[in-house]
Amino acid sequence: MPRFVAALFASLAVASAASATPEARITARLQSPTEAVTAGRGWTAIVLVRDGKQPYSGRASILARGDLGRWTYAARRARPGRYRARIVFPGGGLWTLQVRAGRRTARLASIDVRGAGPRISGPHGVEIAEEHGDLLVADREGTGFFEVNLRTRAKKLVSSGFDHPMFLNFGPGGFLYVVDAGRVWRFEPDGSKTPIAGNGTRGLSGDGGQATAAQLGGPGDFAFDAAGNLYISEYDNGVRIVTPDGRIATLAGVGREGYSGDGGRARAAEFGAPHALDVLPDGTVFVADSHNGVIRRIDGASRVVTTVADGFSAPVGIDARADGSFYVADARLDHIVRVAPNGARTAHGRRLDVPVTVAADSRGNLYVSELERRTVRRIDARTGRMSVIVRP
């Protein structure tokens, strides 16, 4: 073999061996704080990138993946191994960041991004407007309620002028109703509000008369049946009903705290500070009888009360479904409990911090407000994964 041909083969072999040498592993570390990253606002990500044991010096970019898709942001090198990128997240939620260095990538961090818009200081009652893809949230520590876009987590104030609104619900005609400080209001399309029940003072008077002149005994959650009757849970140990013509009566409770009356008329039964209720179209009422630690059912036709689930500690939120099942938020549990029609129980979510309200959408996803964390979380029906929809 000629000498120059042998030398050529040798050099090709060396080059081939060099190209087969694996590239060093890329690693990345985020230096920027992430506690207050908000969608729609610029955030500077400062990243340290290493190529094996050496600082990386080539081109780099930041990849962001979230519910709204995948986005790429160019990174500018400040010095070898140190890069800066200005990132504007298009929506709130959990975003996963990666660094792309040349053709290699490295995981960087996961960031829970706040939705754009005003702060909701104390989210409490929630209502789902599925046709719009929105969640309505009452701010118990403020004076209004908010609309939250479930896709982008963006928040906007819908109405103010209330006195610490606690619960809200859709009712006859598609109107939104809100309870606060001893009254139930109807929210009008022009932004005004119309009183529906309660005169603003606490008590149990007014049965048989106009609901707007009656006292309510600490109104909690409320709901409507298909006929337009309004049912209101009262902390003062009962349930009131307001007919479509505006007259009020006591449906359940004798006005003192206790636990009696199962198998008889609800009007003669004792309850223990029921915080919440839900109503099926036929007028069947499920009551979270909080101090008694039970869920009670008031039949829509006979108005007979029975206990359908016991063993809870502090049931304060309930969402009843058409099949007879219901979800319970117990303030002393770290999860939501689903009770099937046959009584079987399933836990949903974990490590919740004082859950106080729960609402399910048509796909079975749950929305839960947490008293202590001041958040609203969604529990995915298919995967069980929890995500933050509202944070303070």
Side-chain angles (χ1 to χ4, degrees):
M1 178 185 297
R3 185 178 298 173
F4 77 91
V5 175
L8 176 61
F9 282 165
S11 64
L12 289 175
V14 171
S16 176
S19 63
T21 301
E23 294 180 297
R25 179 170 173 262
I26 286 289
T27 58
R29 181 162 58 92
L30 181 66
Q31 288 193 314
S32 303
T34 62
E35 291 78 10
V37 180
T38 302
R41 298 180 186 174
W43 171 66
T44 300
I46 301 174
V47 183
L48 299 181
V49 185
R50 297 189 68 82
D51 187 354
K53 295 182 179 180
Q54 303 297 321
Y56 177 74
S57 298
R59 291 184 177 181
S61 56
I62 307 295
L63 308 179
R65 287 189 176 91
D67 291 341
L68 297 179
R70 173 176 168 172
W71 300 72
T72 301
Y73 302 90
R76 180 171 56 87
R77 188 178 70 189
R79 63 173 183 263
R82 183 182 174 92
Y83 290 80
R84 298 168 64 92
R86 186 177 186 275
I87 296 176
V88 180
F89 292 98
L94 189 66
W95 289 84
T96 300
L97 302 183
Q98 290 181 309
V99 171
R100 175 182 287 166
R103 291 178 296 179
R104 294 169 288 172
T105 59
R107 186 183 183 279
L108 184 58
S110 291
I111 300 177
D112 212 340
V113 179
R114 296 178 180 176
R119 180 175 183 265
I120 303 176
S121 57
H124 196 80
V126 297
E127 179 67 10
I128 306 164
E130 290 196 67
E131 66 275 17
H132 302 299
D134 294 327
L135 185 73
L136 295 165
V137 181
D139 187 352
R140 71 177 185 278
E141 294 185 357
T143 62
F145 62 92
F146 297 78
E147 181 179 270
V148 182
N149 185 294
L150 290 175
R151 185 166 179 266
T152 67
R153 313 291 201 271
K155 308 177 293 294
K156 69 177 181 180
L157 179 65
V158 176
S159 178
S160 59
F162 293 94
D163 185 6
H164 306 297
M166 294 287 288
F167 297 96
L168 36 73
N169 214 327
F170 286 107
F175 289 96
L176 186 67
Y177 293 74
V178 182
V179 65
D180 78 331
R183 284 191 173 98
V184 178
W185 303 88
R186 184 176 65 217
F187 179 66
E188 308 292 355
D190 63 2
S192 63
K193 57 184 182 180
T194 301
I196 300 299
N199 63 10
T201 63
R202 187 164 181 166
L204 299 175
S205 70
D207 277 3
Q210 286 296 306
T212 52
Q215 292 179 307
L216 298 180
D221 204 358
F222 64 94
F224 293 87
D225 65 17
N229 295 299
L230 166 64
Y231 301 77
I232 308 167
S233 63
E234 294 179 302
Y235 301 147
D236 295 343
N237 311 311
V239 176
R240 304 286 276 281
I241 182 171
V242 179
T243 58
D245 63 358
R247 304 190 77 81
I248 192 169
T250 297
L251 174 70
V254 294
R256 64 177 179 271
E257 183 168 343
Y259 182 32
S260 67
D262 275 3
R265 297 277 293 180
R267 181 66 180 86
E270 291 178 313
F271 287 76
H275 280 57
L277 56 72
D278 203 4
V279 182
L280 298 183
D282 68 355
T284 295
V285 185
F286 289 84
V287 182
D289 197 356
S290 304
H291 286 187
N292 291 319
V294 301
I295 305 300
R296 301 175 84 175
R297 179 183 183 274
I298 303 171
D299 186 79
S302 67
R303 298 308 192 191
V304 168
V305 63
T306 55
T307 295
V308 292
D310 59 13
F312 291 99
S313 295
V316 293
I318 187 167
D319 187 288
R321 315 308 292 169
D323 65 357
S325 66
F326 49 88
Y327 295 93
V328 179
D330 187 320
R332 292 179 182 165
L333 295 178
D334 70 348
H335 56 275
I336 298 299
V337 178
R338 179 184 182 269
V339 181
N342 65 0
R345 301 188 184 193
T346 308
H348 294 264
R350 287 294 179 187
R351 296 184 296 278
L352 297 172
D353 197 352
V354 190
V356 289
T357 59
V358 58
D361 65 19
S362 60
R363 296 179 296 279
N365 301 309
L366 301 181
Y367 297 83
V368 183
S369 61
E370 296 177 282
L371 185 69
E372 290 299 319
R373 288 199 183 107
R374 301 167 182 259
T375 65
V376 176
R377 294 182 185 267
R378 178 170 60 194
I379 304 172
D380 187 272
R382 184 176 60 85
T383 65
R385 174 175 170 261
M386 292 199 304
S387 55
V388 178
I389 304 298
V390 174
R391 65 171 62 254

